[in-house]
Amino acid sequence: MMHLINSKVLALLSALMLGGLFCYIFQSYSQQYEQPSILHGRTDVVTVTPWLAPVVWEGTFNPVLLDSIYKVKNITVTATVFAVGKYIMFLKNFLETAEQHFFVGFKVHIYVFTDRSNEVPQVRMATGRQLTVRSVPSSKRWQEISARRMELIQTLIEEQLPNHNDYIFCLDVDSKFHGRWGSESLGALVAVTHPGYYRDPRSRFPYERRPASKAYMASGEGDFYYCGGAFGGLLQEVHHLAKTCRSNFEADTQEGIEAAWQEESHLNRYMWINKPSKVLSPEYLWQDFKPKNPEVHIIRFSGVVKNYAEIRPNT
Ligand code: UD2
């Protein structure tokens, strides 16, 4: 009798275990996630541009689903960051927070461009993530440091990054990650709307307004005002962007012109002509000194407060 009960209990337990195993396998392979809707979603913000590029806001995407799409593609995400002169002081925070939030679980390669290689902090990086330090000359003008980035990004892509199916993001160093920045941001050409201007009419955007400049934007032109501090996309697209902005910047220099916001002005002209295929909301580059607006549910990356007079080589 006892023997019979034992075997019944055993059979029941085995059935339960098998059932659990089946559910687990079924769930992992069937990729179950919340049903998408074309009727319900965020209504307080615009989530698509008039040229039908997504505008990425919290609540418009499923991170687990997106990661599973890009994981199988085995992509590498490169990030460039410049830390010239005293800006090296921002690098530790940038790198440490990137470890916590920037493409976690993906292959990431960060290139640091600096004139102070010996001051690059040691930051522990997870498996699959690496850092390369590149030496660049110092400069007496911050405008030049900021603007020369396009040239160095162009050369990096030409010389070091032959796999054109991969992605790159070019980021300001005086910033920190606070929340996820991941596969939802991937696209052919990606721009971030500037936190200071996204509520303004285009007449207030600080575009370059002199017709003699190659960054010129006439009144009535322009979609958004984009940040110079974060942009990216497929390597071949960003290569074209960097090459064009660099060549326009140099043509301006020949004429004795420096655009109002250096390479940011050229980037804005470029994005007006070559519409970004994905637009990132100001969640992707906020500014620490700005209080959070209600439509911003999460700040993912933000510029730290800095004393320009103290850190720039010139004023
Ligand atoms: C804005 C843009 C910046 C750039 C600049 C115009 C944002 C958030 N920032 O910021 O990307 O377009 O206007 O030129 O959109 N740098 C050094 N050493 C220096 C000076 C600059 O390494 O001495 C590098 C560093 O990576 C820094 C970047 O250049 O993050 C931009 O310089 P910035 O942060 O001083 O420019 P800012 O705040 O005016």
Side-chain angles (χ1 to χ4, degrees):
M1 184 64 183
M2 196 62 186
H3 176 73
L4 204 66
I5 293 174
N6 273 349
S7 55
K8 271 191 176 164
V9 169
L10 210 67
L12 191 70
L13 276 176
S14 314
L16 279 173
M17 273 167 66
L18 267 174
L21 193 67
F22 177 77
C23 281
Y24 174 75
I25 294 171
F26 179 75
Q27 289 239 335
S28 356
Y29 283 96
S30 69
Q31 287 197 343
Q32 291 194 351
Y33 49 85
E34 203 185 326
Q35 181 186 350
S37 170
I38 57 166
L39 296 175
H40 306 291
R42 282 198 62 173
T43 51
D44 59 333
V45 286
V46 171
T47 58
V48 66
T49 67
W51 60 94
L52 298 180
V55 185
V56 184
W57 293 93
E58 176 70 352
T60 60
F61 62 90
N62 180 330
V64 178
L65 166 60
L66 274 161
D67 280 357
S68 73
I69 293 171
Y70 285 98
K71 274 280 169 62
V72 290
K73 294 182 195 282
N74 197 25
I75 55 164
T76 296
V77 180
T78 293
T80 60
V81 66
F82 289 74
V84 180
K86 292 184 183 162
Y87 277 60
I88 192 83
M89 70 166 75
F90 301 114
L91 189 57
K92 189 165 189 288
N93 236 327
F94 174 95
L95 293 174
E96 281 177 353
T97 56
E99 273 303 290
Q100 292 158 20
H101 302 293
F102 185 71
F103 284 94
V104 174
F106 282 83
K107 284 195 278 173
V108 169
H109 193 160
I110 300 184
Y111 283 86
V112 173
F113 293 84
T114 183
D115 56 341
R116 300 186 180 191
S117 307
N118 55 343
E119 290 177 43
V120 171
Q122 293 286 323
V123 171
R124 235 183 126 81
M125 296 181 87
T127 317
R129 301 170 75 93
Q130 56 174 317
L131 185 119
T132 301
V133 179
R134 285 283 151 97
S135 283
V136 290
S138 317
S139 172
K140 291 201 169 65
R141 293 186 69 241
W142 65 266
Q143 295 90 337
E144 208 172 277
I145 297 166
S146 181
R148 261 207 88 208
R149 292 186 289 178
M150 289 296 184
E151 176 195 337
L152 292 157
I153 292 162
Q154 179 196 338
T155 342
L156 174 75
I157 298 175
E158 281 165 12
E159 291 172 3
Q160 302 294 322
L161 308 171
N163 185 354
H164 281 191
N165 292 322
D166 281 339
Y167 295 89
I168 184 168
F169 283 96
C170 309
L171 305 169
D172 268 10
V173 72
D174 53 320
S175 334
K176 261 170 80 167
F177 293 88
H178 299 270
R180 175 194 161 98
W181 179 323
S183 55
E184 74 284 355
S185 66
L186 295 174
L189 182 63
V190 182
V192 183
T193 46
H194 198 293
Y197 301 97
Y198 73 99
R199 288 171 158 211
D200 289 344
R202 48 156 81 110
S203 58
R204 289 223 200 110
F205 293 168
Y207 289 143
E208 171 54 55
R209 301 296 188 184
R210 291 167 294 177
S213 168
K214 295 262 188 217
Y216 172 63
M217 295 285 289
S219 86
E221 285 184 351
D223 302 306
F224 304 108
Y225 190 76
Y226 301 110
C227 295
F231 57 90
L234 280 173
L235 290 174
Q236 58 198 13
E237 290 283 340
V238 177
H239 178 256
H240 188 253
L241 176 157
K243 196 172 169 189
T244 309
C245 290
R246 174 203 178 174
S247 121
N248 288 342
F249 190 90
E250 288 175 1
D252 271 10
T253 308
Q254 293 284 315
E255 300 298 317
I257 301 175
E258 186 173 86
W261 283 99
Q262 297 78 37
E263 90 300 349
E264 185 172 86
S265 306
H266 289 279
L267 176 101
N268 269 280
R269 166 92 196 160
Y270 185 90
M271 295 287 184
W272 162 240
I273 296 164
N274 308 271
K275 306 287 191 219
S277 61
K278 190 169 268 185
V279 173
L280 305 182
S281 70
E283 295 167 2
Y284 288 82
L285 188 37
W286 198 250
Q287 286 165 325
D288 280 358
F289 66 80
K290 264 177 84 71
K292 195 150 72 88
N293 289 337
E295 64 275 13
V296 175
H297 294 180
I298 173 175
I299 292 173
R300 302 171 191 281
F301 187 57
S302 179
V304 303
V305 177
K306 58 188 197 269
N307 180 343
Y308 285 104
E310 242 173 47
I311 52 162
R312 280 178 168 171
N314 60 312
T315 46

